[in-house]
Amino acid sequence: MQIDLKQPILEKNDRIASELRERFAQNHVYVVDLLASPGSGKTSTILATIDALRDEFNIAIIEGDIASSVDAERIKAQGIAAVQINTGGACHLESDMVKRAIDVLDLERLDLIIIENVGNLVCPTDFDLGENVKVMILSVPEGDDKPLKYPGVFQVAQAIILNKVDTLPVFDFDVEAFTSSVKRLNPQVPIFHVAATRGEGVEEWAEWLAERIRQA
Amino acid sequence: MHELGIMTSVLDAVESAATDAGATRVIAVNLKIGEMTEAIEDALVFAFEALRDLPEYGLCKDAQLVIEMVRPKSECLECGNCYEHDRFDMLCPKCGSFATKLIAGRELEIDSMEVDLPD
């Protein structure tokens, strides 16, 4: 006998994510899930984003890493609340980890939470964390062919940051080819050209984000 | 990616639904997996075959895994065209529009199970 189940495989993750999304909305907190490879400049981009937005918004960061708290320490040194989640080997964050992390944050006071996911272009893509947007960073040294190798993450991202654009002159990175493969995968996604450690191009990205935070 | 974790969720759900239904054994588990997800068919099968031998999945120990891979499909928001596509090219093939919406291809779903019930 056949019995219909019709249920999402990641039901538990999705259910917790929905609860989180509701809590974030009630508190008018805008939440970004930031995806990228190790070494692409996630933490530097977060620091540059904090710089651009801290006068207008209260910000907190959730740092997902397999081990260590070096990233959270870098954020805290800027006077911004940071919670470290160590996944202990797991390659992505799941919604129950985020749920535990926000217990130590005062949601009522916050406007923006950026969740720095584990450095990985594959696994985090399929996991809903209750965020408003998934944003991905690709850095120039990684190469312009990445949308062809990791289509999933380029497809789910609602904004893409091309970081380290100050290194374009020394890398063989074809911006036009990159843009065209991204647009085929995700036709409407905005691509921001940024050099986070130099503050270049951060303004445009920060303004895109600020507009959304104000509506949250 | 994390097919073992995915399969653990599948077997937990199926074993519990089969127990609730009073089944004597599960014959087949039917999944729908979208091609736009990062779940790989071979790895899912491997994980399923490894896990179903665990004592907690007693009803599933001889079950077959049937995976239906779902082709990505989008709708053009400009001309209304609905079309299947691969993982890399989502533009509307009819009018070339960039304004498109993915309507299938991200499924990670337990569709149904085939069970034996006592007479």
Side-chain angles (χ1 to χ4, degrees):
Chain A
M1 173 187 177
Q2 177 149 327
I3 298 178
D4 275 354
L5 295 167
K6 309 268 182 220
Q7 67 183 67
I9 294 175
L10 302 176
E11 194 193 18
K12 185 176 161 224
N13 184 77
D14 293 352
R15 194 184 60 239
I16 297 171
S18 303
E19 290 165 16
L20 287 175
R21 185 165 285 116
E22 208 168 295
R23 272 176 76 184
F24 294 143
Q26 279 164 2
N27 289 285
H28 305 284
V29 189
Y30 194 77
V31 180
V32 176
D33 177 14
L34 189 62
L35 312 178
S37 308
S40 57
K42 286 190 294 299
T43 308
S44 303
T45 303
I46 288 174
L47 288 169
T49 308
I50 289 172
D51 251 2
L53 296 178
R54 66 184 306 161
D55 288 345
E56 185 177 352
F57 303 112
N58 284 321
I59 306 171
I61 311 296
I62 297 174
E63 288 284 345
D65 279 298
I66 287 174
S68 97
S69 61
V70 286
D71 284 352
E73 298 309 324
R74 278 176 75 190
I75 307 286
K76 283 182 189 163
Q78 301 302 310
I80 295 288
V83 187
Q84 182 77 47
I85 303 176
N86 282 140
T87 62
C91 50
H92 60 275
L93 293 179
E94 295 189 11
S95 54
D96 61 337
M97 302 177 190
V98 174
K99 188 179 174 185
R100 287 197 295 273
I102 62 167
D103 280 344
V104 300
L105 294 173
D106 182 2
L107 288 188
E108 231 171 86
R109 276 188 60 245
L110 288 173
D111 305 304
L112 170 68
I113 297 177
I114 301 177
I115 304 170
E116 181 177 334
N117 217 311
V118 179
N120 181 337
L121 290 183
V122 182
C123 308
T125 357
D126 292 330
F127 288 84
D128 187 355
L129 302 181
E131 74 281 345
N132 295 87
V133 277
K134 286 196 191 305
V135 173
M136 85 156 291
I137 303 175
L138 184 84
S139 63
V140 168
E142 293 171 70
D144 56 43
D145 58 353
K146 289 303 166 287
L148 304 175
K149 294 185 172 174
Y150 303 94
V153 65
F154 285 91
Q155 195 265 319
V156 300
Q158 282 142 287
I160 293 175
I161 295 173
L162 180 61
N163 193 22
K164 307 188 188 178
V165 289
D166 52 327
T167 67
L168 277 170
V170 292
F171 286 99
D172 189 17
F173 187 101
D174 185 337
V175 174
E176 217 169 289
F178 171 74
T179 309
S180 131
S181 24
V182 169
K183 292 288 174 180
R184 286 182 171 278
L185 272 167
N186 192 345
Q188 298 169 81
V189 73
I191 303 175
F192 299 102
H193 289 203
V194 165
T197 52
R198 296 168 183 240
E200 271 175 50
V202 174
E203 206 174 311
E204 204 186 335
W205 144 249
E207 191 42 48
W208 181 90
L209 187 55
E211 266 175 42
R212 280 156 182 79
I213 303 169
R214 288 181 203 118
Q215 287 162 18
Chain B
M1 50 161 190
H2 25 250
E3 281 77 2
L4 208 59
I6 286 189
M7 242 348 127
T8 307
S9 306
V10 169
L11 281 164
D12 284 346
V14 169
E15 186 77 18
S16 136
T19 307
D20 290 349
T24 51
R25 68 181 184 116
V26 177
I27 302 161
V29 176
N30 302 311
L31 303 185
K32 277 191 180 166
I33 305 291
E35 285 181 11
M36 297 299 283
T37 68
E38 302 289 357
I40 298 161
E41 197 172 353
D42 284 352
L44 289 172
V45 173
F46 180 83
F48 181 81
E49 289 175 355
L51 288 167
R52 70 179 168 187
D53 291 334
L54 293 176
E56 56 262 47
Y57 304 127
L59 292 175
C60 295
K61 72 177 177 352
D62 298 316
Q64 292 301 306
L65 181 66
V66 182
I67 299 177
E68 181 192 336
M69 294 301 287
V70 181
R71 288 268 291 162
K73 197 172 175 187
S74 284
E75 178 187 3
C76 176
L77 302 175
E78 286 198 56
C79 76
N81 183 27
C82 278
Y83 52 97
E84 286 192 350
H85 50 82
D86 63 14
R87 292 188 76 190
F88 302 98
D89 199 343
M90 300 176 58
L91 300 191
C92 175
K94 201 162 144 200
C95 73
S97 172
F98 277 43
T100 66
K101 190 179 159 200
L102 189 72
I103 51 178
R106 293 209 52 85
E107 296 78 2
L108 280 173
E109 187 186 282
I110 312 172
D111 185 55
S112 61
M113 62 181 180
E114 182 81 30
V115 296
D116 263 348
L117 293 178
D119 297 326

